Each structure stands twice: as structure tokens, then as C-alpha cells.
Amino acid sequence: MNKDVERILIGEEELDRIVTRLAAEIDCDYKNSERLVLVCILKGSIVFMGDLMKKLTVPCEIDCMKVSSYGAGTATSGNVNIHLDLLRPDIAECDLLIIEDIIDSGNTLSYLVDYLLLKGAKSVRTCTLLDKPSRRKVEFAPDYRGKEIPDEFVVGYGLDYAERYRALPYIGVLSPSVYENA
Ligand code: PRP
């Protein structure tokens, strides 16, 4: 285990089981879709999306967006910057499935769903690996949820602290000494 990780919250086998279950749910719901597009929200979702797409049997395309949320303490969901947009001329034919690593305030996903619908997507749903419902600032429920977790600082499997730990194969709780001494 990485020396900065206090304990493993979700190990590799459990992650695999969670991703397998989510892929089965998505397979079932999108079996009649003519154009399913998985939209990876960079960077944290890269590892999750890579594993998830390998387990899908329905045909899918992939795309990426990069966004940042700010002012998450407000009651509105408009405080999101788009750094890399989804630029598809065929968006009206696309069933978009936004892939997230974690939902915290809910700001990012509640904004993105409205944004992509306004851009003309045929449908928009959301899939998150982790959910911290205790941190919500705006009401938001994902369509697919891997696991609810407590309000702890988690890293690994794509999630970072100061751009580190993304490559860990498990989700671990970061030792407070790492960020308290930063
Ligand atoms: C994280 C996460 C979500 C967002 C969730 O991204 O990947 O996109 O924050 O928070 P919210 O529910 O409060 O909006 P982050 O900004 O850490 O970027 P990263 O994925 O590149 O690490």
C-alpha cells in the first residue's frame, strides 16, 4: 500500500465487481440505443471509464470534456467552467452518458446535464463511480451509482490529491498528514 494512504476503502476486487454491475445495468438500458456516447469528464474519470467501456457489450463511442466547478458553496448550479467542450455535429442523435469518478457538491453534473441537453443531445444520463451525498449543495441524483462513500479524502483509481495518486489501483483514504503538512 502507498505510504500516504491511511487505509484502503475499496479494493481492486470490489472495484471490479462494482464496474461489472454498472456495465450490466448500462448494457440493459441502452440495448436499443442507436448511438451511445460515453463522455469522460477529465481527468479523474479516465481509469473508471477505461474499465467500464471494456465491460460493455452494447456498441459505444467515447468523447471527453474537461470542466472545473467553482463556488460550490452556492445554491445554484451555474458555476462551472468548460475547458474542453463536446463538439459533435451529430449531438441530436447521441444518447450521452456522462462518466464521473465522484459526485461531491453535485454542482458539476447538475450543470453539465442541463448544458448538454441545451446543446441538443437526444438524451443525457449520468454514471458515477463514487457518491458523497453528505456533501451535496445542489440536489442531484445520478442515474448509475457505483458506491456511496463517507466524507473522507479519497485518492486512487483516477482520483488525485495535487495530481498525485491517480495511478493507484484501489480507492484509498489519504492520510491527513499529507494535506495538513502541505
Ligand atoms: C472532481 C470530480 C468531479 C467534480 C465533482 O473533479 O471529478 O468532476 O470534482 O465535484 P462536485 O460534485 O462538487 O462538482 P476535479 O475538479 O477534482 O478535477 P479532476 O477530475 O481533473 O481531478
Side-chain angles (χ1 to χ4, degrees):
M1 193 169 76
N2 186 288
K3 67 175 174 41
D4 294 339
V5 170
E6 190 177 74
R7 68 177 201 283
I8 293 177
L9 188 66
I10 311 175
E12 291 182 64
E13 284 181 11
E14 187 180 356
L15 280 168
D16 189 65
R17 282 196 298 275
I18 290 170
V19 177
T20 300
R21 171 179 57 80
L22 291 171
E25 290 174 22
I26 294 165
D27 266 344
C28 184
D29 292 352
Y30 285 90
K31 58 179 178 294
N32 295 321
S33 172
E34 285 174 9
R35 190 166 300 175
L36 168 61
V37 180
L38 307 182
V39 181
C40 178
I41 306 303
L42 301 172
K43 303 175 197 169
S45 308
I46 286 179
V47 180
F48 172 44
M49 177 144 139
D51 282 351
L52 182 71
M53 62 193 272
K54 285 185 285 184
K55 289 180 188 280
L56 291 178
T57 62
V58 289
C60 68
E61 298 178 24
I62 63 167
D63 227 315
C64 295
M65 292 184 76
K66 175 130 184 66
V67 302
S68 64
S69 160
Y70 61 94
T74 66
T76 66
S77 59
N79 304 322
V80 172
N81 281 322
I82 294 179
H83 304 289
L84 174 66
D85 204 349
L86 191 67
L87 300 171
R88 297 185 67 106
D90 62 347
I91 194 164
E93 292 141 41
C94 295
D95 292 312
L96 303 181
L97 181 56
I98 305 173
I99 309 295
E100 266 289 24
D101 52 343
I102 190 164
I103 305 177
D104 197 339
S105 69
N107 237 31
T108 303
L109 278 186
S110 62
Y111 178 86
L112 276 182
V113 170
D114 291 348
Y115 176 78
L116 292 169
L117 284 171
L118 270 173
K119 269 174 99 80
K122 185 176 176 188
S123 71
V124 181
R125 285 188 187 154
T126 58
C127 173
T128 189
L129 175 65
L130 306 176
D131 192 3
K132 279 185 182 174
S134 63
R135 297 265 303 171
R136 275 306 187 284
K137 297 282 193 267
V138 294
E139 209 174 303
F140 187 83
D143 297 286
Y144 306 93
R145 179 193 284 115
K147 188 167 182 168
E148 278 191 18
I149 59 166
D151 185 15
E152 294 185 286
F153 203 122
V154 289
V155 295
Y157 202 70
L159 289 94
D160 75 312
Y161 169 68
E163 296 300 329
R164 294 159 64 199
Y165 314 108
R166 291 194 198 271
L168 297 176
Y170 50 81
I171 301 282
V173 176
L174 191 63
S175 298
S177 60
V178 176
Y179 47 89
E180 281 168 6
N181 298 331

